[in-house]
Amino acid sequence: MNLIRFAAAFFVVLGHARMIFFENYSSVNPSAIQTLFYGLTSIGHQAVVIFFVLSGYWVGGSLVRQVNRQKFTWRNYVGSRVVRLWMVLIPALLLTLLLDVIGRHWFGWMSTYRGSPVYNGLVPPAELPITAPTFFGNALFLGAIRVPTFGSNTSLWSLGYEFWMYVLAAFVVLGIFRRKRAIAIWALLFLLTTIVVGLDVLSYLPIWLAGTGVAVLRPRIERSRLIENGKLMTCLRWLLVAATFGVSLAVRGLHVSTSVSDYLVAIVCVLLLASMTTGFENRRWSMGPVGYLSGLANSSYSLYAIHAPILVLVASVWGIRLGHRWPSDPEHWIALFAITVGLVMIALLFARVFEDRTDSVRGYVRKLLRVK
C-alpha cells in the first residue's frame, strides 16, 4: 500500500510538471505514444482520489478501532490529526511564501505567476495576494473552502478537504458505533460542519469512508479462501492495478464529469486496496526496488505539499512560459522525469527535517493534553 501512496504522489507531481513545462496536447502531432504520454501525465486528480481512499483506510480504520475499544477521545483524535498535517503544512506554507516572494519579484510578468486558463487552475492569477488571512486560512484547513489556496501552492486544496473529512467521518463513526441515543447530536454536528465547509467537501466523504469500509472488513477478507491462492491473488492484484490505471485514463479521455469519474476511480481503488490488505508477509516484497519505492512513501506527503511552488519558480528561472514551453519528444520526457525525481529527493530532505519528527511531536502534544 505504501507503494500505491508513493505512486499517487509521483503522478500528481509528474502531471503538474508536464502541465507547466510542456505544450498542450492539442499542439502535438497525434500518435499512440503521445496520447499515452499525455494520458499518464494527466491523472493527477485521480491520484488525489486514491489518496483519499488510502487515508480512509488508515485513519478511518484506526478511528473505528478506537471507538469500538472505548478509547476514542476528541483530544487524542484531533490532536493527532492536526499534528500530522501541521508538521508538513506549516513549513510548506512558509516555503511557499519565500519562493513566491522571490518569484513574483523577479518573474512576476511571466505566465507562471500571472496565471492562465491553459494551466487548468494549477497557476493562480497574480492579482491574488499573498496575505496573512490566506496564510492562516490555509493553516486552519480552509484553503479552497473559505479562502483561496496560498500563493502558487494550489495543491493544498486537498489538505483542507482531508482534515474536514476526518471530522465528518468521526461524526459518522460515532453515530454508528457508539450509543444510539447520541445519534441526533452527531447528526446535528455533521450538518453544521457541512454548512461551514460546503457540499464539495461532503461529496468526497463517501470515497474516504469506502477506504474505512475496507479496514472494517479486513478480518473477513483475511479469512477468505481466495487469499490462500497466492498465484490467483497475484494475478488479481496486477489486474486491479491495470484497471485503476485504465479507469483513470478512461475518465480523462472521455471527459467524464468530475463527480462521476472520482467515484469510478474510487471503486476500482477500493477493490485494489481490498486485495492488498494481506498476503505481503513474504520478505521479497520488502526488498529490492519495490521495498525502496515503498519506503519513499514516508515522504509522499512532503512531496505533495511542496512541489508546486518549486515547480513554478524553477520553470520561471528556466524561462518556461506560455509560448515558450517544451515540445513533447523523448529528450524532454527524460528532462521531465529528471525534474520529478529531483523533487522527490528534495522532498526526502524536507521530510527528514519535518515529517519524520511527527511521532515525537505527537507524543509531546499528548503529554501536554494529558492524553493516554
Side-chain angles (χ1 to χ4, degrees):
M1 292 185 202
N2 279 330
L3 182 58
I4 298 175
R5 181 157 58 119
F6 171 72
F10 188 85
F11 275 100
V12 169
V13 176
L14 189 69
H16 287 170
R18 195 272 300 160
M19 192 181 301
I20 291 175
F21 281 84
F22 280 73
E23 59 189 5
N24 290 353
Y25 178 67
S26 58
S27 301
V28 304
N29 294 323
S31 67
I33 189 66
Q34 292 288 2
T35 300
L36 180 62
F37 170 73
Y38 277 87
L40 290 174
T41 56
S42 298
I43 57 174
H45 178 80
Q46 287 67 39
V48 173
V49 173
I50 293 172
F51 269 128
F52 287 156
V53 175
L54 291 172
S55 176
Y57 176 80
W58 279 309
V59 179
S62 175
L63 169 64
V64 171
R65 288 191 294 272
Q66 289 178 23
V67 171
N68 282 334
R69 295 169 184 170
Q70 301 295 315
K71 293 184 177 180
F72 174 85
T73 66
W74 279 104
R75 280 191 300 176
N76 182 35
Y77 180 67
V78 175
S80 180
R81 293 297 94 212
V82 168
V83 169
R84 166 63 176 156
L85 293 175
W86 271 356
M87 282 299 295
V88 173
L89 176 58
I90 301 302
L93 287 170
L94 292 171
L95 178 65
T96 302
L97 176 61
L98 173 64
L99 297 184
D100 279 11
V101 167
I102 294 172
R104 291 190 180 193
H105 176 75
W106 293 102
F107 309 105
W109 58 274
M110 295 176 64
S111 61
T112 43
Y113 284 102
R114 294 187 62 83
S116 168
V118 172
Y119 293 120
N120 196 27
L122 177 61
V123 180
E127 60 267 18
L128 188 65
I130 304 176
T131 62
T134 307
F135 181 98
F136 289 108
N138 279 262
L140 294 174
F141 314 111
L142 293 172
I145 297 174
R146 291 297 176 180
V147 298
T149 48
F150 187 67
S152 61
N153 208 339
T154 50
S155 299
L156 296 181
W157 73 270
S158 66
L159 300 185
Y161 280 45
E162 177 84 4
F163 174 80
W164 292 108
M165 282 190 284
Y166 294 158
V167 176
L168 291 171
F171 295 146
V172 172
V173 170
L174 289 168
I176 294 174
F177 292 97
R178 269 202 173 175
R179 292 172 296 180
K180 299 300 187 290
R181 288 178 298 176
I183 192 170
I185 297 175
W186 304 128
L188 177 60
L189 291 172
F190 184 96
L191 177 62
L192 292 175
T193 303
T194 301
I195 292 172
V196 172
V197 301
L199 295 178
D200 283 345
V201 175
L202 182 62
S203 68
Y204 284 98
L205 183 62
I207 292 173
W208 197 92
L209 288 173
T212 304
V214 175
V216 172
L217 295 173
R218 178 172 178 169
R220 295 187 181 183
I221 296 171
E222 292 176 338
R223 292 193 298 268
S224 172
R225 292 183 179 180
L226 186 62
I227 296 295
E228 299 175 2
N229 191 326
K231 292 183 178 180
L232 180 59
M233 285 303 301
T234 298
C235 291
L236 178 60
R237 288 171 185 134
W238 281 113
L239 179 63
L240 288 170
V241 168
T244 302
F245 272 107
V247 172
S248 298
L249 291 169
V251 296
R252 291 290 300 174
L254 297 175
H255 304 291
V256 179
S257 67
T258 301
S259 56
V260 173
S261 68
D262 288 347
Y263 278 86
L264 289 174
V265 172
I267 289 171
V268 183
C269 182
V270 164
L271 294 175
L272 174 61
L273 188 60
S275 75
M276 301 183 78
T277 55
T278 187
F280 288 90
E281 291 81 8
N282 195 307
R283 285 184 61 196
R284 68 188 180 90
W285 289 105
S286 61
M287 300 174 66
V290 172
Y292 177 74
L293 291 175
S294 297
L296 291 176
N298 294 328
S299 61
S300 59
Y301 175 25
S302 294
L303 176 61
Y304 183 85
I306 68 173
H307 75 276
I310 297 175
L311 276 176
V312 169
L313 182 58
V314 169
S316 302
V317 172
W318 214 324
I320 306 297
R321 59 190 187 278
L322 294 184
H324 296 82
R325 292 190 292 175
W326 290 344
S328 180
D329 55 43
E331 177 186 352
H332 290 100
W333 298 344
I334 294 172
L336 174 67
F337 184 78
I339 290 170
T340 307
V341 170
L343 284 168
V344 171
M345 297 300 104
I346 293 172
L348 280 171
L349 295 174
F350 187 90
R352 181 65 63 88
V353 176
F354 300 107
E355 190 171 358
D356 289 355
R357 303 179 188 275
T358 298
D359 288 340
S360 60
V361 174
R362 188 180 282 159
Y364 173 78
V365 170
R366 283 176 176 169
K367 289 181 180 179
L368 194 65
L369 297 175
R370 297 180 181 179
V371 174
K372 294 182 180 180

